[in-house]
Every structure is written in structure tokens, then in C-alpha cells.
Amino acid sequence: MKKNAIIISATLLLIISCKKETKDTVGEVVVEASYAPKEFDASKFESKIDSLIAQMTLEEKIGMLHGNSMFTTGGVERLGIPELKMADGPLGVREEISRDNWSPAGWNNDFATYYPAGGGLSATWNTDLAYLNGNSVGEETRARGKDMLLSPAINIIRTPLGGRTYEYFSEDPFLNKKISVPFIIGLQDNDVMACVKHYAANNQETSRDFVDVLIDERTLREIYLPAYQAAVMEANAYSLMGAYNKFRGDYLCENDYMLNKILREEWGFKGVVVSDWAAVHSTVKTLENGLDIEMGTPKPFNEFFLADKLIAAAKAGEISEEEINKHVKRILTVLFQVKAIDGKDRVEGSIATEEHYQDAYKIASESVVLLKNDNNVLPLKLDGIKTIAVIGNNAMKKNALGGFGAGVKTKREITPLEGLKNRLPESVTINYAEGYLERYTKNENNQKTAVTLEGPVTVEELDEAMLQEAIEAAKKSDITIIFAGSNRDYETEASDRKDLSLPFGQKAFIDKIMAVNPNTIVVMIAGAPFDIEDISKKSKALVWSWFNGSEGGNALADVLLGNVNPSGRLPWTMPKRLEDSPAHATNSFPGNESVTYAEGILVGYRWFDTKNIEPLYPFGYGLSYTNFEFSDLKTDKEVYSKSDIIEVTFNLKNTGKMDGKEVAQLYVSKPESKIERAAQELKGFKKVLVKNGTSEKITIQLPTKELTYYNVDKKQWMVEPGTYKLKLGKSSRDIVTETIITIK
């Protein structure tokens, strides 16, 4: 099954850009969807499942509720029930590891495609590419014989210091869900379970194992849960992963409110909840409060809370066998759903193919963000150019493996230097100099992963010989390109960054290079914001790229040379100062034993726009090699009911000389609202290819449901009647035109 196919089932016919009806928790209506999920009907398998459970011993049932290896749960071979086989997957399918520890298994057939990290995918603002990414990695998951991929990671980016910001999608709940849903559908179209993580309010790595997160109900519903709700109700996600942290006093893997009341009772979730590794803290409470599978780190698997302890609790009458059966039934349901039991015509998949590398290229090529381009320095004009200095550790740094957490063992990772060598004509000489070293100070464990809030661990002093080599390369070259930023050893799971400073003395290093060759372009490769204001002011051009997959270097070279017109847009706000960001302005990060989200609903650009704080680069920002004009903004009506779909149309003209893609962004504000609101909120977007000198008429459909707020007293979503402004623009700070509608 290939990516752009139309998916047809007995009950669902999909045509791209069709609408399907779903109901949210208050019975309101109609969401726009580009892809329809597979039907998830647990009743289809009910009689078979009941028969299997009736034949199982207590020990066999409980064996299915916990890991029996690092990435599998127990099966029942005599009944034809296989192990549930998982793979980690934020960057692609992780290499095979040993059954009882984290060391590699040493296979020679577990090479996979390295896909752009979440920051890169979300920077495309392209829902078709989100489906492509999910479907492509889903094929690789099946080719490895897995039933579940631990992906996507969709937590909201609350702080620019977050260790997993590179892996997550966005600071905005609307963009977050619009990227998440097609990704999940694409993944699950391959008879594999998406395990959507980390549910929920897991927005910092500092103290993540125990910190108690305190969020008011409206903020929880409007900011931190929408992508999870959409994953369940629009994408039919088969699995969610419970987070490490506590929420309002209870660990999230034993949190009745989050797992039972919201997830299952309100949203109707039918799948399984899997713990993060070693995130379980009790036996009976964990099971009764909604967790289904306990996974963990190396220790005897029978010592897990849902192993021998659960057998003893059941025999002592502390928990009923009926309760245990409920969780076994959920696991069997998803195994049947992905055809792991009695499965005919299950997708076989393929892995590390040229086609999949090109999937990674397509995503990477649309993710690169052009931040600055004085005098149209880019794309590079090679007439008369004989030498280019390529400088910086990141020109050759590879990021498929690194840091604390999952990576990908891949046969192909094109670096920026390799990409330029692949694309530049032979007449151009590249003068390469590494320039600075990626160096860390020693810590107790002598581990690079100790990039924590406790103190700086990088070596900031520059190596004088390497600096001079880079200076000489810049002096003797017509153009200098510096590849700077970060890497996956510095941005990593399990720790947050101390501040926004560039590591390894790069700021001073870049200053020295630009001093000898003012014709300098700076390319940042990173997953999260850094302090680059001074670099932005001094450089001729500034480009932002990501941990961008197997073809990242080729894609980046194509953007720099103009083979690809940049169309990436920032999925988060880049602040001028850390203290401008809401979690830091309110002094509510990281907390100690607990953390209160004092900024409430004003996360990300909502804070900057509402408080009128100027960012360095705003949410949604990105330049192009061409120019676009918006005009003739209209709605199909002036007055709408609370169940209508607002049809917004406008013209988009490419006034430049190069074909390009623009991301039209639709923000909504409510003047004179009776409730607290952000100055504006993203409620629609569309990425459109417009050929040079031509115009396209664009339509964005905005269900009035998207204008709701969560009424805490009534415990329901409500649309406030009155006047709304619809604002069309190129970023949250570049609104080009607006119009007014009324909700009666």
C-alpha cells in the first residue's frame, strides 16, 4: 500500500479533503479531515476474545499485562496468542536491542530509515507529509515484524529549554493535532499500533519521574489535551503511553481522572494504555485506574508491579479476576485489530528502501526555515564563485544516534557537507574546517548526557589551532557557510537545557568568522530555540534546519542552492530572552516537587501576542525566495450558528519569479470577550504551491466548533456568541488582512 493511495474499507470511503462527521464530548460536530482512519470496532472480535480468555489461566492472563522482555509482553503460545512486539520510534524504527537489557542485539538486518524529528515534520505545516511520514515509518515497523511503534510524541512545547522539544511537534494545540492525526492514521494503515505519547502534561524532563503537574481545568482542556483527544476521536489511535510525572497528586499511569474518566468515559478510547518504561508505582491501584500494560527497565520481569505482585493480589482477593479480564480483553482487541492474531493479508512492509529515503527527503526539504535573507543572498548565485568555506562541527555531525533515548541505526545519513558536495558543480572548491569542538566537562558518570539545569557541562573555550584553520578557510573563500547550533547529545531526553546559550563557544566563534568574511551565511541545525539575536543581526542570511533525517544534507543543500524554494515555518516562538517565554516570565519552570502552570492558556505565541512582547522570530514565521500577496478575503456568510462551518476564501498570488509554497495561516480573536482569551489563536492553515506570476483561490473551512472554550462550571465546550475577527497572515505577527463574522 503506497502513500498517496485512496484508502477504502467496508464502511469508509476516503477522498482527499473530504469531510467526515465526528462527535466531541458535548455532541458538537463536524471536523474537517484529510484522511479517514481504519474502523476500530472491538465488538467484531468479542466472541473470539471471550473464548480465548475463558481458556486462560490467571498466570497466563497476567503475563500479558507486563513486559517479558524489554520491548515485548507475554503471549500464550498454546492458544495462538503471540507476544505484543514493540519498537521505539521517534526518529524511525529503533535498532533491535537485547531481550533483557539495553545493549544492541547485534542484528545485521535492522537498519532503518532515519526520518526528520518531530520539529522538522511540524515545520512543514503540511498534513499530507504528516500522513506520508506515518505511513512510511509504519511500513518499516511491519517489515521489522512489530505490532506497535512508540510514536508519535505530541506533548505541547511549554519551554524552549525542553530536552525533547526537538521530538515534539508544536507549542500550539491546533497545529499539534493537525499534524498528529494524519501521522497516526498513516502509521495504523499498515496494521500496526501507534502508541501516542506521553499522556499527558509531560512538558519537562527535569524531575519528570516524580514532579506533580498542576494545571487548571480550562488550560488542560484547551492546550494540553486537544491533540490526544483528536488522536483518539479522529485518528482511532490504538494505544497511548502513560507519562512518568504526576498530575494533581497521582502518577499518570495510575490516574483515574485522566485514564478512566477522560480517556475512556468521555472520549470512548477502546485501545490499550502502556506505561512509560518504569513509570508504574503500584499494583491494584494502577490496574483499577486504567493502565493495561507495564513496561520497564532491566530487572527481573516477574518483579514488575503487574507481574508476581498482581498474581498475589488476585489470589488474596485484593483485585477481581473480572478486572484482570477487562485489561486482557483490551490487549487481545488491539492484537486482533492489527491482524497479529488470525491475521490474513496483514501488511508485510518494507524498510530502508530508496522510496523511504525519498519520503524522508520530501519532509526535510519542506521543513527548512529561511529566517533572514538580506539582499537576496540566497539562493547561492554561483556565477564567479570559485570557493566556498564550509565551517562548523555541525557540517559533519550525524544525529540518527545520540543522546539519551531512541535513535535509528541507518545506512544513510547525508550531512550538510556531503549534501553540498553532492550538489555543487566540480568548478567550486569547498574549503572545510571544523572550527570548534563538541566538548563536555566531566561529571560523575563521565556522560555527555548530563546536560542539565544543574550547571553548564560544555567546554566553551575554543581550540586556537582549529579556530585559525577556520579563519584561514573563510579568508580565502568567496562565500562562507557556517553550520552551527546543537545536536542530539546536547538536546536530549532525560534533561532540560540550562539556558538559551549556544554551546561549545559557538557565539564567539561565529563572531570571529564573520569578522574576516562578512559574506557569511549561518545555518542553524537544532530542534529548539537558542539565543541567536546577535547572529541574526550580523549575518547576511540565516537558515534554520533540524535533525532532519537520512536525506537532511541533500535537502538542505537544495534549499541553499535554490533547487528547492524554502517553505518551512516555525512551529514555536523563538524568544529574544528566556525570561520573555511564559513559563519563565511567570517563574513556574521547572518547579521542585510540583509545578503550577501559572501562565494558564497563554502558552507560546498566545503569551507573546497577548502581552505584546516582541519575539526574535514569531510562531509561523518563515521567508521564501519569492513573494506572496493575499487579497479578497471573504466568508460565505456574515452570521453563523454554533453548528455551522465557516467557509473562508481568499486569493493568493505569487508576485515573484520563482514557484513557491506559502503557508496561509488563519487566526481568530474575540473582541470584548467576557472570558479570558489570548489575543489570537491559530484555527486554520493551508500550505499551497503557487507558480510564479499566477494566483490561486484558496478555501479554508473553519468549523465553529473550533471557536469553543471550555466552561469549567458547566463542564462542557461552549461557543461564546458575538463578533469574531478572522485574521489571515504569514505568521502570528504578520497579519495581512482580516474580516469580521458573527456567531448567534
Side-chain angles (χ1 to χ4, degrees), residues 308-572:
D308 287 355
K309 293 181 178 67
L310 182 57
I311 294 173
K315 290 181 176 179
E318 296 169 11
I319 190 169
S320 68
E321 193 158 353
E322 182 182 14
E323 177 69 31
I324 292 167
N325 289 347
K326 180 170 69 177
H327 300 274
V328 173
K329 189 169 187 175
R330 291 172 183 167
I331 297 167
L332 288 170
T333 296
V334 291
L335 285 171
F336 272 104
Q337 179 69 25
V338 298
K339 304 176 184 176
I341 304 177
D342 290 346
K344 295 179 181 179
D345 303 318
R346 191 179 190 189
V347 172
E348 293 183 1
S350 56
I351 193 165
T353 62
E354 190 60 38
E355 188 173 18
H356 287 173
Y357 290 136
Q358 290 312 305
D359 292 342
Y361 171 86
K362 290 173 187 175
I363 298 161
S365 66
E366 288 200 23
S367 74
V368 177
V369 184
L370 179 61
L371 296 176
K372 181 184 179 182
N373 194 19
D374 280 358
N375 301 317
N376 296 319
V377 170
L378 291 174
L380 290 172
K381 300 161 187 66
L382 298 179
D383 291 346
I385 298 298
K386 296 181 180 179
T387 54
I388 295 179
V390 174
I391 293 175
N393 177 272
N394 263 355
M396 284 293 287
K397 178 70 177 179
K398 296 190 175 185
N399 288 295
L401 294 168
F404 179 93
V408 178
K409 187 169 81 173
T410 185
K411 291 182 177 179
R412 183 185 299 183
E413 181 178 354
I414 307 297
T415 66
L417 178 58
E418 291 167 339
L420 285 169
K421 287 180 177 178
N422 291 339
R423 297 299 196 255
L424 284 170
E426 292 182 2
S427 60
V428 176
T429 299
I430 295 176
N431 298 316
Y432 172 65
E434 185 176 5
Y436 66 90
L437 285 171
E438 175 196 356
R439 293 188 296 173
Y440 301 82
T441 58
K442 289 187 176 181
N443 54 70
E444 288 183 6
N445 300 312
N446 198 23
Q447 294 292 313
K448 287 193 289 188
T449 53
V451 184
T452 70
L453 289 165
E454 297 171 4
V457 297
T458 61
V459 176
E460 299 301 313
E461 293 81 13
L462 295 171
D463 181 283
E464 191 60 33
M466 295 183 73
L467 173 62
Q468 288 305 313
E469 181 187 12
I471 287 173
E472 291 305 312
K475 280 181 178 179
K476 68 182 182 182
S477 300
D478 298 316
I479 299 171
T480 297
I481 307 175
I482 299 174
F483 291 92
S486 180
N487 57 59
R488 285 193 55 246
D489 287 319
Y490 190 71
E491 294 181 62
T492 175
E493 179 185 352
S495 64
D496 297 312
R497 288 186 288 136
K498 181 175 183 288
D499 54 35
L500 293 179
S501 301
L502 283 172
F504 319 124
Q506 288 180 86
K507 186 176 184 300
F509 172 76
I510 293 169
D511 279 345
K512 292 179 185 296
I513 300 300
M514 288 195 292
V516 299
N517 189 341
N519 196 17
T520 295
I521 296 160
V522 178
V523 179
M524 304 296 301
I525 297 173
F530 281 90
D531 177 6
I532 57 171
E533 183 174 14
D534 191 53
I535 295 168
S536 177
K537 289 176 180 176
K538 293 178 181 178
S539 60
K540 293 290 185 182
L542 182 60
V543 176
W544 190 278
S545 190
W546 312 85
F547 307 140
N548 235 354
S550 285
E551 283 283 327
N554 284 334
L556 184 53
D558 279 337
V559 169
L560 295 175
L561 293 169
N563 302 324
V564 170
N565 193 344
S567 62
R569 304 292 182 262
L570 291 178
W572 34 248

Side-chain angles (χ1 to χ4, degrees), residues 663-692:
V663 179
Q665 301 169 39
L666 185 65
Y667 295 85
V668 177
S669 64
K670 177 73 174 72
E672 300 177 3
S673 176
K674 295 180 180 178
I675 61 170
E676 180 194 11
R677 289 183 182 268
Q680 57 192 12
E681 300 176 352
L682 181 73
K683 294 298 180 185
F685 64 89
K686 187 163 285 190
K687 191 168 197 175
V688 185
L689 171 64
V690 187
K691 295 187 178 298
N692 71 86

